[in-house]
Amino acid sequence: MALTQTPMQAEAARTIFEKSKPGRRAAVLPDAGVPESPLEELIPAKLLREEPPRLPEVSEPEIVRHYNRLSRRNFDLDSGFYPLGSCTMKHNPRLNERVAALPGHARLHPAQDPRRAQGALELMWLLQESLAEICGLPHVSLQPSAGSHGELAGLLLTRAFHADRGEARTKVLAPDTSHGTNPASVTMAGYESVKVATNERGGVEMDDLRAKLSDEVACLMLTNPNTLGLFDENIAEMAALIHGAGGTLYYDGANLNAVMGQTRPGDMGFDIVHVNLHKSFSQPHGGGGPGAGPIAVSERMEPFLPCPQVVRRAGENGGGPFFDLDADRPKSIGRLRGFQGNFGVFVRSYAYILSLGGDGLAEASETAVLNANYLKARLAEDRAGKHLPVAFDRHCMHEFVLSGKPMKRELGIATLDLAKRLLDFGFHPPTVYFPLLVDEALMVEPTETETKESLDAFADAIERILAEAEGDPDLAKSAPYTTPVRRLDEVRATRQPVVRQAFA
Amino acid sequence: MALTQTPMQAEAARTIFEKSKPGRRAAVLPDAGVPESPLEELIPAKLLREEPPRLPEVSEPEIVRHYNRLSRRNFDLDSGFYPLGSCTMKHNPRLNERVAALPGHARLHPAQDPRRAQGALELMWLLQESLAEICGLPHVSLQPSAGSHGELAGLLLTRAFHADRGEARTKVLAPDTSHGTNPASVTMAGYESVKVATNERGGVEMDDLRAKLSDEVACLMLTNPNTLGLFDENIAEMAALIHGAGGTLYYDGANLNAVMGQTRPGDMGFDIVHVNLHKSFSQPHGGGGPGAGPIAVSERMEPFLPCPQVVRRAGENGGGPFFDLDADRPKSIGRLRGFQGNFGVFVRSYAYILSLGGDGLAEASETAVLNANYLKARLAEDRAGKHLPVAFDRHCMHEFVLSGKPMKRELGIATLDLAKRLLDFGFHPPTVYFPLLVDEALMVEPTETETKESLDAFADAIERILAEAEGDPDLAKSAPYTTPVRRLDEVRATRQPVVRQAFA
Amino acid sequence: MSRYTSATPDDRAEMLAAIGAESTAELFDQVPDELRLNRPLDLPAGMSEAEVYERLAALAERNADAEREACFLGAGMYDHYVPAIVDAITQRSEFLTPYTPYQPEISQGGLQAMFEFQTMMSELTALPVSTAGLYEGPSSVASAGYLAIGATGRRRFVVSRGLHPHSRATLATYSAGFGAEIAEVGLEDGTTDAEALAAAVDGETGAVFLQSPNFLGAVEDVEALGAAARDHGALLVVSCDPMTLGVLRPPGECGADIALGEGQPLGNRLDFGGPSFGFFCGTEKLIRKLPGRIAGETEDVDGRRGFVLALQTREQHIRREKATHNICTAQALNALAATIHLAWLGREGFRELGELLARRTAYARDRLATVEGVELLHEAPVVREFALRLDAPVDRVLDRCAERGIAAGYPLGRDYPEHGDGLLVAITERRTPEQIDALAEALGAAIEAERGAFRSDSGIKAPEGVV
Amino acid sequence: MSRYTSATPDDRAEMLAAIGAESTAELFDQVPDELRLNRPLDLPAGMSEAEVYERLAALAERNADAEREACFLGAGMYDHYVPAIVDAITQRSEFLTPYTPYQPEISQGGLQAMFEFQTMMSELTALPVSTAGLYEGPSSVASAGYLAIGATGRRRFVVSRGLHPHSRATLATYSAGFGAEIAEVGLEDGTTDAEALAAAVDGETGAVFLQSPNFLGAVEDVEALGAAARDHGALLVVSCDPMTLGVLRPPGECGADIALGEGQPLGNRLDFGGPSFGFFCGTEKLIRKLPGRIAGETEDVDGRRGFVLALQTREQHIRREKATHNICTAQALNALAATIHLAWLGREGFRELGELLARRTAYARDRLATVEGVELLHEAPVVREFALRLDAPVDRVLDRCAERGIAAGYPLGRDYPEHGDGLLVAITERRTPEQIDALAEALGAAIEAERGAFRSDSGIKAPEGVV
Ligand SMILES: Cc1ncc(COP(=O)(O)O)c(C=O)c1O
Ligand SMILES: Cc1ncc(COP(=O)(O)O)c(C=O)c1O
């Protein structure tokens, strides 16, 4: 029998609401154990809800099946290679989940008195110290909730820093290769975003940078290696320039996985770094979070760090040290969120740092760079080398960017088609169409936790897809075939958005 | 593009050994922290191993991916309907997993002094009491590890019971519908197995029973409802007969899910009952265990229960009760295994009993019977009613048995074909070819945790398959199509067994 | 070889050969020598899995968590029971490990879950559009400020003092960046001073921020208070506790333009404050101005129903400096936990739970008010949390209760100097009537002891706020 | 509606209508009235999930588990570290919830895992065939007895006193059923008395049972001892601790026909004794006589590699009373845990772990032997467990150590009256040198205190076995 659709495709998507039936339920609640007075006696009727929200009415077995089956409609890192550039899809150790779930962590109330949360505060302090050492910058705030939150924090620090000197600067520079969150954060922090050009080696065009520097410039935001996966050798000069112009130098730490234990943002001259714990430090991505974006800063930025700050104080009466939340920071930019940050993420990342140790982290970066260069070399062979040239041809760091422009011209398939066809081969595609600078970009980040075999299999798949396309480009253009759904109409989802279940 | 195989079929099975590469590893071990003396100094060389076992050499990410992907090649209860007769595939609450994993349970050493394991012993005692109440028999041993172990225990108790009276009986009776473990246990316990015939109502043929009773008969093993899903109304008379002949009456508790809180084996006259905690009491089946098969017994069997027995003793000095392991049982048959039994299973089943309470258990059985009768009614309609008649046409208890004989004759497809075609529809098939009494048997047990919708969908699928078969029986005969592998050569696996990886 | 990598020496040699490099060091040649670290990181050596476990368990041991204490702490995060299926499902690698669903064909699980989440939050708040979630509560409040500027062009916010102090602080931090001025309106007997609010809102006001129940636990009359916003064309932003929306009139029915809040009570553990998620719902009109991911329904080329990230043209990866927000990685897994928890509670259970909380809260408030030295800080209606005044130094009373294994509540003096004697007590379904009685007893004993101590040492002045 | 069911009143009505019954009670008409229970079960009412959790957590709280104590208990089950991936994988519903793989097309995951398990156990024991596992250790020993009768037709077993007391007891229980006589051979300085063994084995002997390391921790010279079995055509059955097989010569190289044992040390938690699994390996000759499931490799109709339950003709569901064993539900999930643990350890790690244990054990034995009042019970080689003699009542010494948070070991007097003063001390990789030193100190202090107590109250007679 010839199949026309896979078993999953045969199963139409049904939401949990569509499985609801009046009177079904999963939860059984405890008895209140107190007088069952009518609600109206407790709360004025006008403040009460009339109709309960139309949550689904389903039994527990149905819930489990529903989400279990849904889960199988996801591709995940624990099932296959996920070389999504700029995302550092490295192995997520289950040990970290285990320690994060210990009741002493998981059921600790964030408003607990610091004297009764010494373990948690010490852990945060230890993580701060570790990140400070890794970044080469003395002070750390763990508060930001993700990379972009860290960026915003860094820009607000910059603003406070300048305000403290009586300056009001208005512009923030970032290369045209920068990640979308950079300019978005710039606007959100009340600055104007200015692009700096990229030179032929993939680094910052120094003349353009010089031209754009002025006393209006508050900050230069970079990532190094940059989003092309290339280390900008001019970093020391850039640092001198921006500092000379009175600005701060911000490091987007999304690419830290290339340099741990090899070189440090602080030593390069950066003032502020954010670290994506959900990238280099193995917090699982969760299908879009949670993460955490701690920032490490230089001495001169320290007074402005968010409140509260975790500090170690000398113990009383010769006892051990005492860990505390310090909110008495007059120059602080203040709070960026509730309580102390994404503590559960800190536990996981600290467990990761303990597991690897200093040497292990250095080796992780080294291997990440080795894997990327190997895969780049494999993709320089044969058809990939011809149709998918690397955008800047030199050793890369932990990732590299290919251009699908020749492929599109020569074979008639776009980067998107290649990506979709890769799905049929069981791979998550690389990041596509980013950085914007590179036409038909494919950004490939294998990470250090992949085997040589999986890199080879990926290179082989690309080769096969290109060979296929030489014969029949439509094969890629209509891909994917084997996924639970095939190409989806994204335009419609934006033009006529349906963003919630409609009820009859 | 027409698919010829599903994505999973395209992925050839590779074992973990085939992913091994010298020098890879996952585990990092602690330093010994003690002198690293050569092993030969500690243990005579002749006692030492020369070559380490050829365990795979793989990294942790590879292990996770390997077993993750393997897992997706399993069908499971949390993904779909699993009406496997005689197996009680009811919902497995995750609460039970959570409480079983509490360190106080999971890391408690079985040789811990009872004074320092009071919580565990009390839990076992509470479970014993609960099972005693459910079974209507005063004494319980939790020791047996599964149903068949319970059967063996019960037969050894019977032997001890008779020996204690100076009798040596040699035969054990069981109906021809009995489960395979029954006669196998009989042989293992040193008895001869004698079959009793089934009457036209699906119950025990009383004349045959009477004819086979004698003072050589040690025991009559039954399950009620029996494996046809039918309650044998003559049970009281049978009990009188076997007791009159000096034998014991054994209850195979695999079908207890039909009768919890409705009727009790003890009240029916049974002397010994085993309970499959992995059936009625929600312990997950684990792909073939673990389970547990506690036995409940009447007063006269009590002296012979296995050792040790969990007992409650009055507290000293007016304190609370003390729970102990009692090994001072001179008439006991002795141990059936190490330590105290499958405690982790006890935790789960006790949590289940606490969750449902007495009423909840009764309602579970009631709903199990309702679901079975409803599905039976649905399958009496249309094509199923014609080609797949129920073997004994009366109200069933928690399961029922159909015969595929007409289907085979009329449509040319066997029960096995129907079962295999059901796989393509996303259902686990019923138990097939059991009980042996029914030609081309299909034994269907929906359990109480299924929705009416899933019963309907199953009935609809059967209808569609039969309709298909009217047109093209080969469709079923060559099924399945969509599973990771298709029909497998089981004969070869027995004739030329390959039961382990070969190394080059 | 470090843990989790797999390149063997042979692999390395083969890979270097393919690259055409002598050593991995060569690959790092692009990093100028003077910038190389050239020494090991000053961090402890790596540890075995068992050792890491022991180390972290030893740290955890030094925290007084809600497994060990009867926890009456709230202030925005609550010790609800998280059903076991939440963990079982969210720990499935298929949900745990993927990135944001950029490739919808292989992310239908996550996308559909987002769509279900949005529907649930939309139902809870009675607003038609929900995003897939932001970081957490207070920063969501700040994000609403950013949205209000974009939507109204006005840079002035009026904020109730009943808004969570962390939300007010975060809004202030963000406002220093995007540029906005904040006017705060005080509380009167527990709820927002309606007159002062009406007076504070003007034609320059971009948004009015309320919270209900507010930080002192009092249920606000949002509809009445919101009139001022409506009248002046300001957005009405209501922060709320989702767990109360089974019983309280939802913001969408009270005229709110935006309803948002801390999502932790729904299916997320305490985790010392995170990760959790912020929910963010709005009117149809605001749909193209909302922050963060939104999943939408669509079809594939074969006409199959499917889900994608919708309205991406709002987002940073498309619009860069013109994006409605800078958020990228959010809190998808935490939102999934909420979705499962809400499905588990279901229509009936969710309301029942709200009622249970309201009744136990009423019981607790009455019970504690009978304790000598305790009185109500306000008389406004409450549903899950309430404020008391203690006639003894709050911190010392808390210490004494902690000795009995009770975290008695949140000392209001941390954030409200005017309530230095205030204690905020939170109730969940895990706080049994017996625990409430034990709290009453502990509070009574602690206050009595403190008063004794105070009397017996008249040299010590009563702390401020304590009579 | 009880928890976990889903039939609403409407569902019930529709279903009854389809059945043609008035009520569900009618469905139970087949149960004679006088057998109906007609009253509620006398069990507590059902509880909410949170309440069940609290209840079970309160029970768990009353156990001194290895998370709280430094656990030197062994005697067949050991406090090894179970890596987190074991839980993560075994808790996946795809492994957790299916039945025995009767439908191989949709059970390839479980079947392949069994095949991998069998390969690993076969490698560990150096015997060519492994089953997919039995219940646990001691009952596997008894099952070997049943096999031996089938294979040799002889009903006499010779058993070393070094065999785990639970194994000897279980073999005896089973033997009372299938009919076999057991002769026990004693120990000499810790190991099986070779001469007595040779004398005990005769032409009627069906099997000789040894354990190495034996219950006292001593490594036996299996090859030498096994000669008696070989000479008389009896099967040599060797029970072993799988965790020692990275360093000890495997049974298959020592002439064993069957190697079996308790599988708990491999990836299974302590669980107060179960569930774990028993492994069972044999020679090629015995393949059709083995008990329990065996997975085998085969092909599907399209030539794809696949796995099935092989050799089912041995089993109860096919052969009924002629089956080689009665086992049906076994311990598949526990065997999977072992498989993952062994893959995680890997070829090198498994050996290293064995060496680590041997070295720490040597250290501990030396260290403890220096304690005043402690001497070695035997001098035979040990690799993970060893026996001491204490010059004070063992139970009281254990109590004193427990007060310091140390479970000092297993009192041999429980099973060996001749060793009333014996203490069996087990080592795992979780028992650090610091803990070993702490044990030495605790033992020393306890013995000293007990001797003091004994001296100061000369009315009390020294317990038997203590000088
Ligand atoms: C280069 C770069 N910068 C910043 C970010 C933003 O980080 P987050 O998603 O944690 O907000 C990303 C994430 O994709 C990134 O790749
Ligand atoms: C009727 C019946 N009896 C006995 C058993 C054996 O139980 P277990 O598998 O727990 O040994 C089964 C299990 O399938 C059964 O269905």
Side-chain angles (χ1 to χ4, degrees), chain B residues 57-384:
Chain B
E57 298 181 77
V58 278
S59 67
E60 180 171 309
E62 289 177 280
I63 299 173
V64 171
R65 281 204 190 141
H66 179 75
Y67 291 104
N68 229 35
R69 295 178 79 113
L70 261 194
S71 79
R72 298 218 196 175
R73 297 169 87 92
N74 272 358
F75 183 93
D76 71 303
L77 178 60
D78 282 359
S79 301
F81 186 41
Y82 212 126
L84 193 65
S86 208
C87 298
T88 312
M89 299 301 286
K90 64 166 69 176
H91 178 58
N92 301 145
R94 291 301 181 132
L95 163 63
N96 304 356
E97 299 304 310
R98 175 180 279 180
V99 291
L102 287 167
H105 297 140
R107 287 191 70 193
L108 180 59
H109 195 283
Q112 181 60 284
D113 189 302
R115 285 169 303 152
R116 292 186 275 277
Q118 283 294 292
L121 292 170
E122 179 171 353
L123 188 153
M124 290 174 70
W125 185 83
L126 288 164
L127 178 61
Q128 287 176 188
E129 292 293 298
S130 306
L131 295 176
E133 166 65 6
I134 293 164
C135 294
L137 286 163
H139 302 285
V140 171
S141 164
L142 299 177
Q143 218 180 91
S145 310
S148 74
H149 208 207
E151 294 170 17
L152 180 65
L155 293 164
L156 294 172
L157 284 184
T158 294
R159 178 178 288 282
F161 167 77
H162 287 128
D164 190 51
R165 309 178 152 208
E167 295 176 36
R169 294 175 174 237
T170 55
K171 292 181 179 159
V172 172
L173 309 186
D176 48 10
T177 54
S178 76
H179 191 260
T181 51
N182 291 187
S185 299
V186 168
T187 310
M188 218 165 155
Y191 289 110
E192 182 190 333
S193 179
V194 179
K195 253 190 240 168
V196 186
T198 295
N199 67 20
E200 70 295 336
R201 275 183 63 74
V204 167
E205 175 55 59
M206 296 300 289
D207 287 342
D208 194 41
L209 174 62
R210 277 189 210 95
K212 283 168 179 163
L213 275 180
S214 77
D215 61 3
E216 293 189 324
V217 172
C219 175
L220 169 60
M221 297 181 88
L222 293 174
T223 175
N224 199 14
N226 62 20
T227 61
L228 296 163
L230 303 171
F231 196 90
D232 199 321
E233 309 102 325
N234 297 324
I235 182 61
E237 192 185 341
M238 289 193 271
L241 283 171
I242 182 77
H243 288 151
T248 64
L249 187 58
Y250 184 91
Y251 186 90
D252 175 342
N255 293 348
L256 197 70
N257 208 50
V259 297
M260 297 182 299
Q262 310 288 345
T263 173
R264 308 191 304 172
D267 300 340
M268 299 179 211
F270 284 92
D271 296 286
I272 311 166
V273 174
H274 84 245
V275 179
N276 305 64
L277 295 185
H278 44 301
K279 296 184 176 176
S280 311
F281 297 95
S282 83
Q283 161 70 26
H285 283 92
I295 49 173
V297 302
S298 59
E299 210 58 72
R300 63 183 186 148
M301 306 306 295
E302 190 277 341
F304 311 103
L305 280 177
C307 260
Q309 186 67 351
V310 176
V311 294
R312 181 170 73 165
R313 305 194 196 282
E316 278 169 39
N317 315 322
F322 178 72
F323 297 90
D324 207 358
L325 289 169
D326 180 16
D328 185 16
R329 304 178 50 78
K331 293 191 175 181
S332 164
I333 60 169
R335 278 197 167 273
L336 287 159
R337 52 162 292 157
F339 297 110
Q340 292 83 236
N342 282 344
F343 176 77
V345 178
F346 307 154
V347 178
R348 292 178 180 85
S349 291
Y350 184 59
Y352 178 76
I353 291 172
L354 279 184
S355 296
L356 267 66
D359 288 352
L361 291 173
E363 203 217 286
S365 284
E366 191 203 332
T367 309
V369 170
L370 176 67
N371 276 357
N373 278 286
Y374 174 69
L375 186 52
K376 183 165 78 67
R378 283 292 325 267
L379 292 174
E381 295 166 6
D382 305 328
R383 289 187 177 81

Side-chain angles (χ1 to χ4, degrees), chain A residues 7 23 74 417 419:
Chain A
N74 272 357
D417 303 321

Side-chain angles (χ1 to χ4, degrees), chain D residues 98-166:
Chain D
Y99 204 75
T100 301
Y102 289 142
Q103 294 287 344
E105 297 87 351
I106 51 167
S107 310
Q108 286 299 297
L111 285 161
Q112 184 176 326
M114 282 183 186
F115 183 83
E116 293 179 1
F117 168 80
Q118 290 166 192
T119 305
M120 289 179 183
M121 299 317 299
S122 168
E123 279 292 315
L124 259 57
T125 58
L127 279 165
V129 184
S130 169
T131 71
L134 300 180
Y135 300 135
E136 45 80 69
S139 56
S140 301
V141 169
S143 297
Y146 192 52
L147 184 155
I149 294 174
T152 67
R154 305 177 186 172
R155 296 184 174 269
R156 181 170 183 275
F157 305 142
V158 174
V159 173
S160 160
R161 190 160 172 76
L163 190 66
H164 196 299
H166 295 174

